[in-house]
Amino acid sequence: MNYTFASATILLILITDPVGNIPIFANALRSVPPARRPWVILREVLIAFVLLLTFMFVGDGFLRLMNLSELSLQIGGGVILFLIALRMIFPQPGHADVSEMQGEPLIVPLAVPAIAGPSALATVLLLVSQAPERRLEWIGALCITMAISAVVLVLAERIQRIAGERFVVALERLMGLVLVAVAIEMMLRGIKTFVQQIASG
């Protein structure tokens, strides 16, 4: 599956799901003073960015170390995306619940897994493994994704107040629907490649 800069950016935005993370961040930051919340959000987004960026640079070595092929990563990544998308469309009861912590949350659960979850990590690995020579494009796509996530999460309270909770839920489910199509396309292309390898081998 050949991604362009634009399609990779959209895919990363769908996977990191900043709109869906709004209630998670709201619950986790409930005990944090309002004036401090934007700085905590920016810190967590930066941590997630560094983690995803690290995976972009060590992705090839990780795949070789684990003896994983690009094909298995593509099919496995498609399955993960599909499951994540289903949860976006049909959220489980208590999906947005996060246990309140004393003080500021650090890394868990906001940076990981809310932003840099398994699907995001698998996606950056897939992008780099398919086109390592375009790494700068993928880094640019990741930068845009993290910037959008930071803006959405910092303005989360205003977005909820202006747009309303129903609109936020509807938008997340629409994003989930698009991600289902992306996941199925990824799996179908992986299966097609696998069948062609068997037929030619």
Side-chain angles (χ1 to χ4, degrees):
M1 197 168 180
N2 297 321
Y3 291 99
T4 64
F5 173 79
S7 63
T9 302
I10 293 173
L11 178 61
L12 287 171
I13 292 172
L14 290 173
I15 291 169
T16 53
D17 190 18
V19 174
N21 282 334
I22 287 177
I24 297 176
F25 272 69
N27 288 340
L29 297 176
R30 190 169 296 166
S31 61
V32 178
R36 176 67 182 165
R37 290 173 189 171
W39 299 106
V40 175
I41 291 172
L42 293 176
R43 183 191 66 203
E44 297 302 304
V45 170
L46 180 60
I47 292 172
F49 172 72
V50 171
L51 179 59
L52 291 170
L53 190 63
T54 301
F55 262 67
M56 278 194 175
F57 282 95
V58 303
D60 294 338
F62 178 79
L63 291 177
R64 288 195 297 269
L65 178 65
M66 301 301 295
N67 198 26
L68 297 174
S69 66
E70 178 188 322
L71 181 59
S72 63
L73 183 61
Q74 181 170 334
I75 297 176
V79 172
I80 292 176
L81 290 187
F82 183 76
L83 295 176
I84 294 293
L86 286 182
R87 289 185 62 183
M88 290 170 66
I89 300 173
F90 306 107
Q92 299 296 319
H95 168 64
D97 291 342
V98 177
S99 300
E100 291 189 13
M101 303 172 61
Q102 296 297 325
E104 296 180 358
L106 179 63
I107 302 179
V108 178
L110 301 183
V112 181
I115 300 174
S119 55
L121 296 173
T123 301
V124 296
L125 282 175
L126 180 62
L127 290 173
V128 174
S129 66
Q130 287 188 338
E133 71 281 359
R134 300 173 61 191
R135 198 186 306 266
L136 287 179
E137 288 187 49
W138 310 144
I139 293 174
L142 182 61
C143 288
I144 293 175
T145 300
M146 292 295 103
I148 291 174
S149 293
V151 170
V152 170
L153 292 171
V154 168
L155 299 178
E157 292 182 5
R158 293 183 184 178
I159 292 174
Q160 283 184 312
R161 185 169 59 250
I162 295 173
E165 187 174 346
R166 289 186 178 181
F167 175 80
V168 172
V169 171
L171 183 59
E172 182 187 8
R173 292 182 179 177
L174 178 61
M175 293 170 63
L177 181 61
V178 175
L179 195 56
V180 165
V182 172
I184 292 176
E185 178 69 17
M186 188 181 296
M187 287 188 287
L188 289 177
R189 286 179 180 268
I191 293 171
K192 180 181 178 181
T193 303
F194 179 67
V195 172
Q196 289 175 343
Q197 288 180 355
I198 294 178
S200 61

